Each structure stands twice: as structure tokens, then as C-alpha cells.
């Protein structure tokens, strides 16, 4: 089954790539047939830029981090390929300081490109070990730093690069077909990566890193692999530039190019390969049109004089306009075939819920955690066995969510320990807890908002080997399968978050206020779902909720937390009558302003 779903997925991605490559092939054929030098120049330039943009998008789009640094890989690719392909007698004259082994080589382009991929891949692999650990603005700034460093190294390494002087004499071996082939390969690679498990998991971290961790995804290695692949594609694009222009300088790969390529990516929509392609087309057309206007033109007898700077200003305005109207770029998060022929959400028969194979227990012993002076959780013992439903209640600020964070590896305890089936799991990060059988939801819903409902569940399902479709049907979400998760109402969002956790086939499931924001009908339905889930799977369920009615009807056992400590524990009927519990709830209600940081 795994092999056939792999094949189906690959077929889908290749079909998507074909949607993009086919029109480009027509452009290539028309250009080759016309043979007009100026037009050929424009088209080759476009294909090379497209290769670079699609390559950059492999990291930027999937990781959701803007990179200013990828032009440095283009520069390295360009220079490396130049040095490897230029004739030895030329090198003897112009680059006398070149190391001996580089001075004598003269490789054909395909071989040189292989070295570019490997060589720049090595640089990207090493820099990625740092950059993949960062996200958001920190990562972007780091990529900018990388660009500046490489630029200055290229200028400084005069013996190899001729410094800031032009490196000329590069064999001009790139025409329409080579450039088209590179763009086509880049598009296929980008589509396959995006649809792969690594790509899907990376997009999940882009949407919500803690939520991705909760389904077992480690963000850093995913980011690293996308960084590596995108750098390799960018490096090839850089090499093609060199062999198209015949002359390069470090400056040709600096801010100006970075800006132009990012403009393409941002205008088209960086979150999809189609967006990268659309942006490259639009920005190229815009630049060409503005460049002609910039030179001055005439309408009948009316002569419009040249306007200097029109191209750059026009490009800037175009970006502003698109960002204002469509902040996610023209294509948003969709691929072209999803827009042209949206997939229907077929009604799938609900599939069986995953059965828990072995009994076991998740145990916290004397666990605690402070925030500043506040003891949020203070020496709590909690035991959750497979097959039971435990309720965790307590007034607002009692420490329930913190306790759940401590058990699930999101927060580090500063006292006590956590064991999973007797194994010490105190220091396990969230992704390892998830991989070892712990699923959870969050109090403030954390979905992968711009991924579809189906993809949200698939991230977890691919890990466990379950089938996402029938599972969605189990939770009544099959009709919404292709909707972006962020567009659902609260009720379905909560259900989706539970479905995603169940898709991990966990043995323990921790739910933080799953009924919050639900009306009575919805929370009654949830109650039935949760009971059925336990009955059919044998999962151990820990449910935090404010809705005492729900907790009392659902749970086998209730634990009451107040000011970080367990104040009562037992069957619902007993706990409900406990004076300490009544005091904790009512006392708090009567003194609403009492700070809970005292004591
Ligand atoms: P509950 O889920 O029972 O409402 P929480 O576990 O969210 O309670 O919070 C317990 C206490 O710890 C509260 O006083 C809260 O303000 C504090 N707290 C929770 N998380 C943090 C944090 N990340 N940083 C600082 N204080 C926190
Ligand atoms: Mg809470």
C-alpha cells in the first residue's frame, strides 16, 4: 500500500509540474524557431532566472523563511563553473595565481555542473547546519550575512576570481534548450520535494512549529534538506548565467539580483511552485515593458522622452500593489492545477480507528515548573494508563496547560520526572514524545492553517502509516478535506486537531479544553466521539476542560488541580462533592482579582 501511495503522489506531482512545463516548452520551441537574437536573449535570461527563483522557493516557500542569501550560491556556482571550464592557456594569462589542479582542468559544461552541485552543496550543507536552526527574521538576517560574506570572499580571492574585476572568457554554451531544460528540471524537483513527506512536514513547521513537533516533526533537519536542495538548484542557475553571459562579476550576484529574484517569488506567491513560475513570468514581462518605455517612445507624433529609473521604480510599485491586494502573492498557497481543476472532496467511508496494541502508562512523578517567582506546577503526580479516560480540572491559572506541556515535552520540568511505559522520558523533546505514542491538542487551537484539512491529518498519518481519508470521515471532516484548515469554524477546527493527533496512532492522547468554543450540540457530539475513540482504540485519554458537565459524564477518574497542586482525585461523583474542590472553584469565583502568584 505504501508503494502505491508513493507512486500516486509522485504521479500527482509530475502532473502538476507538467502544467507548468508545457507552456514553457512552447515558449522554448517558438524561440528556437524564430531565431531572433534579442528575443532569444530575453527568453534564455528568463529561463535562468526562473530556475533560480524555483530553486530559492524550495527553501523559502516550504520553510516560510525569506532568504536573501541564495544569490551567493548562484555566485559560487557561476565562479566554480567558470574556473572549471575556461581554457588553461586563458587561465595562465589571466589567473596566474590559480592552484595547479584548477589551472589545468578544462571541463565540458555537464561535468562542470556536476562539480557545481557537489561543491556548492558542500558549502550549503555546512552553512545550513547553522541556518536551519534559525527561523523567522533571525534566519533571514543570517542569510543576508551569508550573502555579504561570500560577496567579500569572492572579491578578496583575487587569484581565483579576479576580484571585483570582470571574469570574462567563460565559454558561452547555454542557449534556449539548456536553459529550458534546467528550468524544467528545477520545476519537477521543486514539485516532488513539496509533495514529499519532507516537504509536507516542512510546510507544517512553516505553519506552526510547536504543532508540527506535536505530530513528531523535527523542524531543523527538514529545513536543512530544503536549504541544501534549493542551494544546489540556485548554484546551477548561477553557472548557467555565467555560461550564458560569458562574463561575471561578484556584483552581478549581489543585492540587485537578490531583489529581482525575490520580487518574482513574492509577487507570484512564494508558497507554491506555480507562484514562483507566475512571478518570474510577470516580473520579466514587466521589466521588459518598462525597459522599453524607459528608453523613450513615440505615439504618433507625440514623443515621450526617456525616463531613467522607470524599471526599478515600476518593479517596486508592482510589489507594493501585489502585497497590498494579495499579501501571499498572486497564487497564494495553491498550485496551478488546484486552481484550474479543484479536487472534489469525495465521500470516503470511515475507516477503522487505530487499535492500541500494548497496555502501558504515562506517569508524572513529583513534577514541577516555575515561571519567574510563580510555581505554576508544584509536585504533581499523575498517572494515565491505556484504556482509561482521566479528567483534569481546576480553576483558570491552576497549571493544567503547563502540566500538559511538561508531560508532552514542550516544557522542561524543573523537578520530578516523566516516564512512558517505565522508560524515563523527562528530557524527551515534543517530537520524540509524539513518535513514541503521545498525541496532544492545544488550548489555543494550533492547526497548519494554510494546509488543507486533508494535509493536516496527512502529516501525522504518513508517519504512522494510516490512511488520512477514512480517518477524516471518522471525524466528519471528509466533506471539508480540501479546505484550508484556517477557514473552518471552531467546532470543526477542534475536531480536526483531534483527528490529526489520532492520525499519529498514539497510545496516549492529551486534550487541552477540546470543547472550548463549542456549543452544547457540538460538545455532546464530541463526548460521544471521545468515548467511542477510547472504546474502539483502547487509547489512554487525558481531557482538560472547564465544562464540568462534560468531564463528569466522560471520565473514569478526575484529578483536580489548584495553584499548581493536586487537591483532589477520584471518581467524578466523589470529586464533585469534595469541599476543597468546591472551595477552589467557588472561592476563586468570589475573589476574581486574587493574584494566583502568591503562596
Ligand atoms: P490553566 O491551564 O490551568 O488555566 P496554565 O497552566 O495556563 O493554567 O497557567 C498556570 C500559571 O502559569 C498561570 O499563572 C500562568 O499565568 C502561568 N504561566 C503559564 N505559562 C507561562 C509561561 N510560558 N510564562 C510565564 N507564565 C506562565
Ligand atoms: Mg489552560
Amino acid at each position: 500500500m505504501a508503494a502505491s501511495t508513493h507512486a500516486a503522489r509522485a504521479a500527482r506531482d509530475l502532473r502538476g509540474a507538467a502544467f507548468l512545463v508545457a507552456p514553457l516548452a512552447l515558449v522554448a520551441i517558438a524561440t528556437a524557431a524564430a531565431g531572433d537574437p534579442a528575443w532569444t536573449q530575453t527568453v534564455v535570461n528568463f529561463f535562468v532566472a526562473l530556475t533560480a527563483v524555483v530553486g530559492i522557493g524550495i527553501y523559502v516557500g516550504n520553510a516560510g523563511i525569506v532568504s536573501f542569501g541564495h544569490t551567493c550560491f548562484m555566485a559560487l556556482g557561476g565562479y566554480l563553473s567558470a574556473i572549471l571550464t575556461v581554457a588553461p592557456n586563458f587561465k595562465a594569462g589571466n589567473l596566474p595565481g590559480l592552484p595547479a589542479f584548477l589551472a589545468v582542468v578544462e571541463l565540458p559544461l555537464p561535468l562542470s555542473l556536476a562539480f557545481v552541485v557537489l561543491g556548492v552543496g558542500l558549502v550549503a550543507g555546512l552553512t545550513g547546519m547553522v541556518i536551519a536552526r534559525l527561523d523567522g527574521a533571525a534566519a533571514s538576517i543570517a542569510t543576508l550575512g551569508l550573502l555579504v560574506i561570500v560577496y567579500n570572499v569572492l572579491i578578496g580571492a583575487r587569484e581565483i576570481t579576479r576580484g571585483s574585476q570582470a571574469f570574462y572568457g567563460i565559454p558561452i554554451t547555454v542557449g534556449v534548450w539548456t536553459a529550458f531544460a534546467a528550468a524544467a528540471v528545477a520545476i519537477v524537483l521543486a514539485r516532488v520535494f513539496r509533495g514529499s513527506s519532507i516537504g509536507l512536514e516542512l510546510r507544517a513547521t512553516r505553519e506552526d512549529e510547536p504543532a508540527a513537533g506535536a505530530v513528531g516533526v523535527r523542524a531543523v533537519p527538514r529545513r536543512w534538506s530544503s536549504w541544501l536542495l534549493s542551494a544546489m538548484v540556485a548554484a546551477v542557475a548561477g553557472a548557467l548565467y555565467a555560461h550564458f553571459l560569458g562574463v561575471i562579476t561578484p556584483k552581478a550576484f549581489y543585492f540587485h539580483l537578490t531583489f529581482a529574484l525575490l520580487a518574482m517569488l513574492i509577487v507570484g506567491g512564494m508558497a507554491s511552485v506555480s507562484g514562483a513560475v507566475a512571478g518570474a513570468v510577470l516580473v520579466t514581462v514587466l521589466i521588459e515593458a518598462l525597459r522599453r518605455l524607459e528608453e523613450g517612445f513615440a505615439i504618433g507624433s507625440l514623443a515621450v522622452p526617456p525616463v531613467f529609473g522607470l524599471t526599478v521604480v515600476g518593479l517596486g510599485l508592482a510589489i507594493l500593489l501585489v502585497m497590498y491586494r494579495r499579501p501571499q502573492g498572486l497564487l497564494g498557497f495553491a498550485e496551478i492545477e488546484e486552481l484550474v481543476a479543484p479536487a472534489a472532496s469525495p465521500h470516503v467511508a470511515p475507516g477503522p480507528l487505530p487499535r492500541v496494541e500494548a497496555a502501558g502508562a504515562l506517569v508524572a512523578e513529583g513534577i514541577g515548573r516555575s515561571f519567574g517567582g510563580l510555581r505554576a506546577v508544584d509536585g504533581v503526580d499523575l498517572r494515565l494508563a491505556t484504556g482509561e479516560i482521566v479528567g483534569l480540572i481546576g480553576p483558570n491559572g491552576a497549571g493544567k496547560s503547563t502540566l500538559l506541556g511538561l508531560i508532552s515535552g514542550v516544557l522542561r520540568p524543573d523537578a520530578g520526572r516523566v516516564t512512558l511505559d517505565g522508560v524515563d522520558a523527562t528530557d524527551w523533546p515534543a517530537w520524540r514524545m509524539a513518535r513514541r505514542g503521545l498525541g496532544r491538542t492545544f488550548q489555543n487551537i494550533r492547526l497548519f492553517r494554510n494546509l488543507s484539512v486533508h494535509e493536516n491529518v496527512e502529516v501525522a498519518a504518513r508517519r504512522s502509516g494510516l490512511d488520512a481519508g477514512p480517518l477524516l470521515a471518522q471525524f466528519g471532516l471528509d466533506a471539508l478535506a480540501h479546505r484550508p484548515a484556517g477557514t473552518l469554524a471552531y467546532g470543526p477546527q477542534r475536531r480536526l486537531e483531534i483527528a490529526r493527533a489520532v492520525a499519529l496512532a498514539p497510545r496516549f492522547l492529551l486534550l487541552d479544553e477540546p470543547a472550548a468554543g463549542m456549543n452544547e450540540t457540538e460538545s455532546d457530539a464530541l463526548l460521544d466521539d471521545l468515548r467511542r475513540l477510547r472504546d474502539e482504540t483502547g487509547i489512554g485519554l487525558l481531557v482538560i476542560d472547564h465544562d464540568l458537565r462534560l468531564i463528569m459524564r466522560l471520565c473514569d477518574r478526575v484529578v483536580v488541580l489548584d495553584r499548581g497542586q493536586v487537591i483532589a482525585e477520584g471518581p467524578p461523583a466523589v470529586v464533585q462533592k469534595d469541599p476543597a474542590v468546591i472551595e477552589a472553584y467557588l472561592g476563586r469565583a468570589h475573589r476574581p482579582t486574587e493574584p494566583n502568584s502568591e503562596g
Side-chain angles (χ1 to χ4, degrees), residues 369-372 374-377 392-405 411 443 512-513 544 546 561-564 595-597:
R369 169 73 193 237
S370 295
F371 295 112
L374 171 75
R375 196 75 186 143
V377 172
L392 180 61
I393 64 170
N396 242 327
K400 306 182 295 295
S401 294
T402 304
L403 177 58
L404 200 151
L411 295 169
Q443 182 173 346
D512 198 344
E513 305 203 17
I544 298 178
H546 264 308
L561 212 58
D562 187 28
R563 301 170 199 220
N596 55 21
S597 56

Side-chain angles (χ1 to χ4, degrees), residues 336-345 482:
I336 185 81
E337 77 276 10
E338 296 162 1
L339 294 176
V340 176
S345 298
H482 292 284

Side-chain angles (χ1 to χ4, degrees), residues 315-334:
L315 197 54
L317 285 176
I319 295 175
L320 282 181
L321 185 68
V322 170
M323 288 298 94
Y324 180 65
R325 304 290 308 193
R326 282 189 69 99
Q328 299 303 336
L330 292 171
L331 268 84
F333 291 85

